[in-house]
Amino acid sequence: MRFRNNPLHFLTEIRELGDIVEIGHRANRKILVLNHPDLVKEVLVDKTSSFRKGKGLQIAGKFLGQGLLTSEGDTHKRQRRLMQPQFHSKHIASFAQLMVEHTERMIHTWANLENRNIHRDMTELALEIINKTMFGHTITEDVDKIGEIIEAGSRRNIQQAKSIINLPKFFTKKADDRLQESRSYLDRIIYSMIESRREKPDEQHQDLLSLLLAAKDEDGTLMTDQEIRDQLITIYIAGHETTANTLSWTWFLLAQNEAAEKKLWVELDEVLGGNPPGLQDIPKLKYTNQIIQESMRLYPAAWMIGREAVEPLVIGGMNIEKGDTIFMSQYAMHRNPKYFSNPDQFSPERFDHEFLKTIPAYAYFPFGGGPRVCIGNNFALMEAAIILAVVGQKFKLQLAESHVVKPEPLITLRVQGGLPMRVMERANS
Ligand code: HEM
């Protein structure tokens, strides 16, 4: 119950109880939490074949289908091999310009001293960027509706994942019908993208959609529309929600830390001199990148990873049976005082001097690890740095006084109820 009611608090509290903590049972199988980075590595990297994804993602599979996030075994290996080139640094470098353009377009619609829901802005921007870069599609759909659908789906998913018993269908019919409706809405968007690309096959595209349409099995068979749909919807959702949340948390943290905000402005002005950031500038924006790292430490969009054992094994001296669940929480680990001094304090400076080399590898794992590590990690980091740089050159974002900002751990760690902020032109601030 305590886990269900307030998972972030609970996971932080039980950190002191040991490296591996049994928190309960589901259908006679243990539920364990790992608190030591080496054990996290054992599960994510060394003994990966003894596990499959946890219940949360198994349930999400009903919505996402057999996409990269939810597929298992050889199917996953094949899909990963196929899609990896699309995410190589060389390939994503070509997206920098698009990311700048979309961000500039967004801030051109902002007026000085205007109150805005910054979480909505970040979601819309991240959605536009993923659509354009991966599918060559310009978004014309209702972004608020898409946001609502994803939130409702996420809520239903987490509710199911947390429940110890499967409730009779009668109790869940309404929520399930709503989920089905949402699925149909998103499917319509995705299938129409596939259809319109199939209708104009000779246009030169080098995006994920073209790659999937041209991909063949060993026996030469092309992917079905359903298989392509599963991959697209996975990238569509995984590729924008996480980044949008990371950016929202970053603006929230900066608004509360004037010194860090000033340091960001100085760096942006010195490195960019009023010009839009180019690809070559991103590594030079050291403090900007540290802000993003620190934001993902305090508010990791993926706040917990779950795995289910598919065979008996031993982890951290404990016997794990087939069907046992293991949770690893980035939120709790990233705030562990053993690895991070003043862990609740926002301090991008801590990432100076190759700090990550001084702590165990999996004390900081915002993108997971091993063969299931986030495929979009470099894409997300580049995107976040560009958005921070383009917006930060022109605007200061101030928190709305009356609004209490609270994290809400759904599938991703969201800002509960949006993020109302006032945008102020820096020249006037
Ligand atoms: C700040 C942004 C992001 C964060 C924090 C994040 C986090 C994660 C994490 C923790 C995982 C591993 C889940 C697990 O092991 O169960 C993951 C997997 C994945 N992410 Fe991300 N992600 C981000 C952005 C993106 C972007 C931009 C894309 C696509 C463009 C993406 C696509 C995926 C996919 C497809 C997987 C599954 C990979 C596989 O299993 O082979 N993510 N992400």
Side-chain angles (χ1 to χ4, degrees), residues 233-423:
I233 201 151
T234 297
I235 296 299
Y236 192 82
I237 293 177
H240 87 277
E241 241 242 310
T242 39
T243 315
N245 282 313
T246 300
L247 285 158
S248 295
W249 287 118
T250 307
W251 293 120
F252 162 71
L253 289 162
L254 279 173
Q256 290 177 304
N257 289 276
E258 221 172 290
E261 187 186 51
K262 289 254 154 64
K263 233 170 131 175
L264 168 72
W265 293 348
V266 169
E267 177 173 274
L268 295 178
D269 295 349
E270 273 177 15
V271 175
L272 304 174
N275 297 310
L279 186 67
Q280 69 293 348
D281 296 316
I282 296 170
K284 293 184 210 151
L285 296 171
K286 288 207 163 53
Y287 194 68
T288 311
N289 289 309
Q290 285 177 221
I291 289 173
I292 296 159
Q293 282 179 302
E294 178 68 344
S295 165
M296 289 196 302
R297 183 185 72 79
L298 283 170
Y299 295 102
W303 58 281
M304 189 173 84
I305 294 182
R307 290 290 188 268
E308 185 184 305
V310 293
E311 60 189 8
L313 78 157
V314 176
I315 296 281
M318 186 178 271
N319 288 325
I320 311 288
E321 305 298 329
K322 181 174 175 202
D324 285 353
T325 291
I326 291 199
F327 288 138
M328 296 149 279
S329 167
Q330 287 95 328
Y331 184 88
M333 187 75 83
H334 291 182
R335 289 173 184 248
N336 190 331
K338 270 193 223 157
Y339 313 113
F340 304 94
S341 57
N342 298 322
D344 295 331
Q345 195 180 308
F346 176 68
S347 170
E349 288 72 13
R350 74 173 80 238
F351 283 95
D352 270 345
H353 309 302
E354 309 215 10
F355 163 72
L356 285 178
K357 290 195 178 147
T358 66
I359 57 171
Y362 283 79
Y364 183 73
F365 61 116
F367 292 109
R372 308 294 309 234
V373 70
C374 177
I375 200 169
N377 53 3
N378 292 326
F379 181 100
L381 289 172
M382 175 168 102
E383 180 182 6
I386 287 177
I387 295 173
L388 210 55
V390 174
V391 177
Q393 277 179 295
K394 302 250 161 55
F395 283 95
K396 170 186 172 65
L397 274 54
Q398 202 175 43
L399 277 172
E401 266 167 35
S402 55
H403 188 76
V404 180
V405 175
K406 271 213 235 149
E408 188 180 23
L410 296 180
I411 294 185
T412 54
L413 191 61
R414 299 167 70 102
V415 186
Q416 195 169 41
L419 185 61
M421 294 186 99
R422 169 175 284 200
V423 299

Side-chain angles (χ1 to χ4, degrees), residues 20 34 36-52 305-309 313-316 320 325-328 362 369-372:
I20 178 161
L34 304 185
H36 197 288
D38 294 351
L39 300 184
V40 173
K41 178 173 173 284
E42 239 182 289
V43 173
L44 293 184
V45 186
D46 306 331
K47 295 180 178 163
T48 174
S49 58
S50 302
F51 294 96
R52 64 172 179 156
I305 294 182
R307 290 290 188 268
E308 185 184 305
L313 78 157
V314 176
I315 296 281
I320 311 288
T325 291
I326 291 199
F327 288 138
M328 296 149 279
Y362 283 79
R372 308 294 309 234

Side-chain angles (χ1 to χ4, degrees), residues 9 11 13 18 68 101 107 117 170 185-186 191 250 265 281 300 303-304 307 345 365 367 426:
H9 183 70
L11 288 164
E13 243 184 16
L68 193 61
E101 282 167 19
I107 58 173
N117 180 350
F170 168 75
Y185 182 81
L186 287 187
Y191 280 122
T250 307
W265 293 348
D281 296 316
W303 58 281
M304 189 173 84
R307 290 290 188 268
Q345 195 180 308
F365 61 116
F367 292 109
R426 258 182 62 196

Side-chain angles (χ1 to χ4, degrees), residues 88-284:
H88 276 159
S89 310
K90 263 198 214 135
H91 190 78
I92 62 170
S94 62
F95 301 146
Q97 181 62 25
L98 266 172
M99 291 172 177
V100 171
E101 282 167 19
H102 279 276
T103 315
E104 283 180 338
R105 210 170 299 153
M106 173 187 75
I107 58 173
H108 280 143
T109 67
W110 290 7
N112 190 27
L113 302 181
E114 188 185 12
N115 293 320
R116 304 191 61 91
N117 180 350
I118 289 297
H119 184 61
R120 188 199 178 281
D121 282 332
M122 293 300 120
T123 305
E124 178 164 358
L125 179 58
L127 193 59
E128 278 175 5
I129 289 175
I130 208 74
N131 266 274
K132 197 73 198 167
T133 54
M134 294 286 147
F135 320 136
H137 172 74
T138 303
I139 189 148
T140 50
E141 295 81 18
D142 182 346
V143 175
D144 283 335
K145 179 153 185 183
I146 294 171
E148 275 165 32
I149 286 173
I150 292 172
E151 187 174 333
S154 189
R155 244 175 241 293
R156 177 75 189 113
N157 187 286
I158 209 90
Q159 200 183 30
Q160 281 177 294
K162 279 185 188 168
S163 94
I164 299 162
I165 47 163
N166 288 328
L167 289 170
K169 283 206 163 45
F170 168 75
F171 285 106
T172 60
K173 186 170 179 330
K174 215 165 146 197
D176 289 338
D177 284 353
R178 215 174 311 126
L179 200 63
Q180 187 50 41
E181 245 173 65
S182 312
R183 190 190 145 124
S184 310
Y185 182 81
L186 287 187
D187 276 359
R188 271 199 300 279
I189 301 178
I190 301 282
Y191 280 122
S192 85
M193 281 196 247
I194 300 175
E195 203 179 315
S196 64
R197 184 65 62 87
R198 280 206 199 280
E199 278 167 9
K200 296 180 202 148
D202 35 283
E203 275 185 15
Q204 289 298 308
H205 289 281
Q206 292 198 325
D207 53 20
L208 185 69
L209 178 52
S210 298
L211 181 89
L212 295 172
L213 281 167
K216 286 184 182 151
D217 257 354
E218 286 98 58
D219 65 0
T221 340
L222 289 166
M223 285 170 96
T224 62
D225 277 6
Q226 161 92 46
E227 285 167 328
I228 297 174
R229 173 260 176 218
D230 291 354
Q231 297 304 350
L232 295 192
I233 201 151
T234 297
I235 296 299
Y236 192 82
I237 293 177
H240 87 277
E241 241 242 310
T242 39
T243 315
N245 282 313
T246 300
L247 285 158
S248 295
W249 287 118
T250 307
W251 293 120
F252 162 71
L253 289 162
L254 279 173
Q256 290 177 304
N257 289 276
E258 221 172 290
E261 187 186 51
K262 289 254 154 64
K263 233 170 131 175
L264 168 72
W265 293 348
V266 169
E267 177 173 274
L268 295 178
D269 295 349
E270 273 177 15
V271 175
L272 304 174
N275 297 310
L279 186 67
Q280 69 293 348
D281 296 316
I282 296 170
K284 293 184 210 151

